[in-house]
Amino acid sequence: MTEAIRDLAHLSHVELLTPKPDESLGYFRELLGMEVSGEVDNSVYLRGFGDYERASLKLTASEHAGVGHVAYRTHSREALQRRIAALEAAGVDGRWNQGDLGHGAAYTFRDPDGHRFELFYESERYEAPPELRPALKNQPQRYPGRGAGVRHLDHVNFLALDPGENRVFLEQQLGMRLTEQIVLDDGAEAGVWLACNQKSYDMTYTRDLTRTRGRLHHIAFFVDQREDVLRAADIFLEHGIVMESGPHKHAIQQTFFLYTWEPGGNRIEICSGGFLIFAPDHEPVVWTQAERAKGQAWGMQTVASFHIKGTPSVPEEEALLAGAGR
Amino acid sequence: MTEAIRDLAHLSHVELLTPKPDESLGYFRELLGMEVSGEVDNSVYLRGFGDYERASLKLTASEHAGVGHVAYRTHSREALQRRIAALEAAGVDGRWNQGDLGHGAAYTFRDPDGHRFELFYESERYEAPPELRPALKNQPQRYPGRGAGVRHLDHVNFLALDPGENRVFLEQQLGMRLTEQIVLDDGAEAGVWLACNQKSYDMTYTRDLTRTRGRLHHIAFFVDQREDVLRAADIFLEHGIVMESGPHKHAIQQTFFLYTWEPGGNRIEICSGGFLIFAPDHEPVVWTQAERAKGQAWGMQTVASFHIKGTPSVPEEEALLAGAGR
Amino acid sequence: MTEAIRDLAHLSHVELLTPKPDESLGYFRELLGMEVSGEVDNSVYLRGFGDYERASLKLTASEHAGVGHVAYRTHSREALQRRIAALEAAGVDGRWNQGDLGHGAAYTFRDPDGHRFELFYESERYEAPPELRPALKNQPQRYPGRGAGVRHLDHVNFLALDPGENRVFLEQQLGMRLTEQIVLDDGAEAGVWLACNQKSYDMTYTRDLTRTRGRLHHIAFFVDQREDVLRAADIFLEHGIVMESGPHKHAIQQTFFLYTWEPGGNRIEICSGGFLIFAPDHEPVVWTQAERAKGQAWGMQTVASFHIKGTPSVPEEEALLAGAGR
Amino acid sequence: MTEAIRDLAHLSHVELLTPKPDESLGYFRELLGMEVSGEVDNSVYLRGFGDYERASLKLTASEHAGVGHVAYRTHSREALQRRIAALEAAGVDGRWNQGDLGHGAAYTFRDPDGHRFELFYESERYEAPPELRPALKNQPQRYPGRGAGVRHLDHVNFLALDPGENRVFLEQQLGMRLTEQIVLDDGAEAGVWLACNQKSYDMTYTRDLTRTRGRLHHIAFFVDQREDVLRAADIFLEHGIVMESGPHKHAIQQTFFLYTWEPGGNRIEICSGGFLIFAPDHEPVVWTQAERAKGQAWGMQTVASFHIKGTPSVPEEEALLAGAGR
């Protein structure tokens, strides 16, 4: 990045699909400690105590698990226009919608793998109702003291047939920057981590070994301390939530992680730690096949399910069409 | 901020003056766990394990304690030129110097209160020597496992006759944004917190109640966990280091803090926690006189010395001249 | 202690009196994360998730705040008989009662300062109802994931006219051992810490500067990590609970502490850390007046209220009678 | 346990054998943060900052890795005599030796599996030299602020042909109590956890699947916080120490653990957490084969090496003789 022209401000929210809306809601509200901030049709909107917007999670009842869309907020109206112009110049098929509860009109399109994205600028600043008003005025909402107590949505990890293709798309069309990647011995990119701000990443693509388009690997919520992740594990244990992997520390990005399956069938990560990237000229860190074979930071080998399981981000036929029609 | 045009990338380093260079060096190396990365004349350069540049602390032997200068790195050469143009247009008296060890030519000037700033772009990426090479390639240097183990320089707090005047200067000349402030009943700004990136602040001015120009309140180094701050307190206790205040949580910015006096006489903070600011249209949080009177987050009253003691950032006569001549 | 004859097994429970039973119950259940395990007349019984007996707190509606009684469980029936014999031989006025919910008949008496004690052996092992059944069978109850999540009752701190007199009583009549004490320059014992097992203390007496008999200073509940105490402070902050002092580390016993006032007016400590005493021939650590003047471990001075405020452990007239009649 | 007659006070120290004495010493001193407190012949004595005796680890240069002996201190001279009488009455072949540096004459014998034990009472209370004197007088030694900073020796885990046989021996001859055990479907005891005080265990036997007598599985050192275990993992990572398993939480005893291999070839655990056992009538927790198959507390499966690898506690021929001759 030679100039500070990043038009995206931050990852704003994710729409998660669940065939078990009540159980999923219980997971996010009671075990993750999120609050409901709205309800429209088949969707419930939830938020972490540190989210400044109305919601970071839109939980939509659906026949299948998966993700509906991910949304980024831009730095300004002009930034939004610039991104749309870039997308249209590249022949991406986008359209406007009226936006979810809590934000204005959004421009929606698919990435090369078929995952649905939205960009918007107009956003409602969250005003906590009296019972959720925080003690400190620099915090959007009261800390819940319930469950894991997640602060905010942290990142999304999509599966993709070709992470490299999607990486180029996010760099060129959205102005994001690559911070770390896995490059296999044959030159293929097995994983890419991108950021649009000083977080070291908020979007990841890893290879879909099942050769299916448009699937979700996981979404992640942030807690302040590594100890909070350990405490979350204690809480999940008591509630029969399957923990797929962790708590442990990733070698890539050094995120301290715990992966669970929410009752609707989506993989959810509770994460902490990692680091910020201050360098304006940060060079992407490239991990080789051999380096990846070493396992996670402290030596734990990744469980097999981690490389295979995912949930569709949109119904399969739609994804296939999207991939074809792009 | 209506556009993403922030020319400053991040706070880069601080030059700290000490009349007890050996004892100060021992404090930063053994108790904070920093590494020496260079030595020139009367200055020793030090770094936290997460600093990507060569040094974040230049420790200079001097007759008195205080700060020599603070330095910001810009996003690009163009960004540096834009800031210089703005400073010169505003009649600020600046000049180039050849830069410290580890970075290129710097443009130096004073803020309204007389503290010396430097801006530069060219910077040497730190390459760890073999004995400090990290196990994970996305980390600049081995984690020391010694003392507090600070990750990086976090922020600087200057004292100033008029924090508001300096706040305007940083907003207008440097493109920084105000995130929080204390506004007294008479309208005076008793404290201002500014940021140039998604950290919630990296520069603070609070009122100098002694009516002295150009003094330093403290500089702060970051550790990853609140528990690391508690552990640092245990270590300082064992080494007879005076802890002025903390560990506790600030109401403003919610930083988890511990203030100590390094042997040379400068106040040093070990901090953790706080939060990032993702909103591109973040509105500054304004704290009133009454709100400040409540004490810190969990109720601790601030000790008297905290409001009075400081160290000169430059020799007094020079500061007075600078303030006058600006 | 020349032999391993300690007849008391552990501090079992405390009866706390409150003029605001509903608000107090809310504090212990929602903010400390305790569970209700019974209700009889004006008393509600509560427990931490790690308490193996039915209850560690009996909360009794009363006209005034204070403590009703503290109870120790003995190692065996024989140990209970030995203690009663010792008490009776010393002329202490004791009597049997039928016991609280969850334990058998108790022998009750007063210490020299007038605080009511109970000793018993027969105790009901807690069986968690289905909704509170733990995931791991070596834990009495599910970890609540709510509020501070206290594990168990940790210790009691009584105020007394003469801590030394009460120390001798506990050593000689109850077989407890002194582990630390404050001895003033005039030889008076300003504070004594006693234990009946490998915890470094579970009973403390400190001087009542108001010269009132039979008062409570505080009772303390244990959490596993220092970070849990910090998190508890965040939760108390959000609920308007007054935090009198902390989080900080005591010099004496090194307990990491936070003192709050529960709504009924009793001082409650959330604590962690400290250490176990393994030495069978441990020598009491004696703190001088000068050493105490240094403040807490990391230098914080104790707030004035800490030395003055307390709550009666029994109605005053009763306490005075008890003190006189013993 | 019907009476409070436990004659053993606590696990005192372990003699560890290493074929790489310099590298092993570096591991314990620099990475675990222990201090050297003596040196005699081929042995170096080390201690954690919280150990009240002179040493908790005797590191002896040897041809092979393994354990020389483990030592328990008794509650009194009388308690020591009682245990010796019980051992002799049971026909155990014991003898006196002059004791290691730091303690008096010890009575030594082997358990049924051939591991060497020592019992003693006379012990030297550690007096820190000036450079290691602690700031707080209730602490034996300065907290090192180096490496993991272990507080004290926590427990020993021996491998044995028949854990049940050794469990009976420790209960009957040493007066220890069983707190948890694994009982397989065929009735065999695959693991037993015993304690001699309110710690939930300080001695463990698990089945030696290689059918070798007298081997060590691991010894464990305690740190105060779970976060300290995570930090230790970061430190081990930087120094190329192999981490076999963890950080994670055991289901049995709920210990938060990290297993590493010290350079000499012995498995060393860094642990924290767990709980105390207050109940004088604690019933052993029995884990079935099916329950063990569930993995550790948060679901991690135990690595294969954990069940196989061990180090001899004494030269094999000696162990075989001991087993035969007992």
Side-chain angles (χ1 to χ4, degrees), chain C residues 162-165 167-168 178 181-184 187-192 207:
Chain C
D162 181 354
E165 182 190 15
R167 187 256 304 162
V168 171
L178 176 71
Q181 67 187 143
I182 302 171
V183 178
L184 303 183
E189 296 176 52
V192 295
R207 269 220 297 205

Side-chain angles (χ1 to χ4, degrees), chain C residues 2-4 10 52 73 76 82 137-139 180 197-198 225-226 251 253-254 278-279 281 286 291, chain D residues 2-4 10 52 73 76 82 137-139 180 197-198 225-226 251 253-254 278-279 281 286 291:
Chain C
T2 52
E3 262 308 81
H10 65 93
Y52 79 91
R73 189 178 177 203
S76 63
R82 272 196 298 271
K137 62 199 296 186
N138 52 4
Q139 189 172 301
E180 305 200 18
N197 53 45
Q198 290 202 305
Q225 311 291 322
R226 299 203 287 198
Q253 301 285 359
Q254 301 198 18
F278 294 113
D281 51 359
V286 181
E291 287 165 344
Chain D
T2 52
E3 262 309 81
H10 65 93
Y52 80 91
R73 189 178 178 204
S76 62
R82 272 197 298 271
K137 62 199 296 186
N138 52 4
Q139 190 172 300
E180 305 200 17
N197 52 45
Q198 290 201 306
Q225 311 290 322
R226 299 203 287 198
Q253 300 285 359
Q254 300 198 18
F278 295 113
D281 51 358
V286 181
E291 286 166 344

Side-chain angles (χ1 to χ4, degrees), chain D residues 14-250:
Chain D
V14 176
E15 181 186 23
L16 205 65
L17 310 179
T18 172
K20 299 186 179 174
D22 290 345
E23 291 90 330
S24 292
L25 179 58
Y27 170 92
F28 288 105
R29 193 163 53 182
E30 301 309 322
L31 304 190
L32 261 55
M34 299 179 80
E35 299 288 350
V36 171
S37 55
E39 208 170 333
V40 177
D41 300 331
N42 290 327
S43 298
V44 179
Y45 292 81
L46 294 122
R47 45 177 288 102
F49 75 93
D51 285 313
Y52 80 91
E53 292 182 285
R54 180 151 179 175
S56 55
L57 180 65
K58 178 184 181 182
L59 191 62
T60 299
S62 174
E63 279 182 43
H64 56 86
V67 75
H69 70 274
V70 299
Y72 275 84
R73 189 178 178 204
T74 62
H75 266 291
S76 62
R77 282 175 205 90
E78 295 73 23
L80 176 57
Q81 290 308 328
R82 272 197 298 271
R83 286 308 107 209
I84 293 173
L87 287 162
E88 294 184 342
V92 174
D93 178 28
R95 63 175 185 273
W96 286 92
N97 65 33
Q98 64 179 34
D100 298 299
L101 190 66
H103 69 85
Y107 187 84
T108 177
F109 57 93
R110 293 185 188 282
D111 67 15
D113 205 68
H115 307 93
R116 183 159 291 287
F117 277 65
E118 291 185 7
L119 302 183
F120 69 92
Y121 174 70
E122 305 294 342
S123 182
E124 176 189 331
R125 179 166 294 270
Y126 176 71
E127 286 294 332
E131 70 277 13
L132 292 178
R133 225 156 260 167
L136 298 177
K137 62 199 296 186
N138 52 4
Q139 190 172 300
Q141 173 208 303
R142 173 177 289 187
Y143 173 69
R146 182 180 75 235
V150 300
R151 183 181 279 274
H152 57 65
L153 174 65
D154 190 80
H155 65 266
V156 171
N157 185 337
F158 280 136
L159 291 167
L161 295 193
D162 180 354
E165 182 190 15
N166 291 275
R167 186 257 303 163
V168 171
F169 180 81
L170 265 63
E171 287 178 320
Q172 296 188 346
Q173 311 314 328
L174 303 186
M176 295 180 70
R177 67 171 164 174
L178 177 71
T179 58
E180 305 200 17
Q181 67 186 143
I182 303 171
V183 178
L184 303 183
D185 294 350
D186 64 5
E189 296 176 52
V192 295
W193 283 255
L194 296 107
C196 67
N197 52 45
Q198 290 201 306
K199 286 181 76 252
S200 64
Y201 68 114
D202 54 23
M203 178 57 70
T204 303
Y205 288 87
T206 46
R207 267 219 298 205
D208 195 321
L209 298 180
T210 68
R211 312 300 301 154
T212 317
R213 279 187 183 277
R215 294 204 304 160
L216 169 72
H217 191 270
H218 69 268
I219 64 173
F221 292 90
F222 183 84
V223 290
D224 285 1
Q225 311 290 322
R226 299 203 287 198
E227 174 60 31
D228 289 328
V229 180
L230 303 182
R231 210 175 60 86
D234 284 334
I235 292 169
F236 289 130
L237 171 67
E238 295 290 24
H239 290 82
I241 298 295
V242 176
M243 290 176 269
E244 185 189 34
S245 179
H248 207 88
K249 181 180 181 168
H250 279 300

Side-chain angles (χ1 to χ4, degrees), chain A residues 2-4 10 52 73 76 82 137-139 180 197-198 225-226 251 253-254 278-279 281 286 291, chain B residues 2-4 10 52 73 76 82 137-139 180 197-198 225-226 251 253-254 278-279 281 286 291:
Chain A
T2 53
E3 261 310 77
H10 65 93
Y52 79 90
R73 191 179 176 203
S76 63
R82 272 197 298 272
K137 62 201 293 188
N138 52 4
Q139 189 171 301
E180 304 199 19
N197 52 46
Q198 291 201 306
Q225 311 292 321
R226 298 203 287 198
Q253 300 286 357
Q254 300 197 17
F278 295 113
D281 51 358
V286 181
E291 287 165 345
Chain B
T2 52
E3 262 310 78
H10 64 93
Y52 79 91
R73 190 179 176 203
S76 63
R82 272 196 299 271
K137 61 201 294 189
N138 52 5
Q139 190 172 300
E180 304 200 18
N197 52 46
Q198 291 201 306
Q225 312 290 322
R226 299 203 284 198
Q253 301 285 0
Q254 300 197 16
F278 295 113
D281 51 359
V286 181
E291 287 165 345

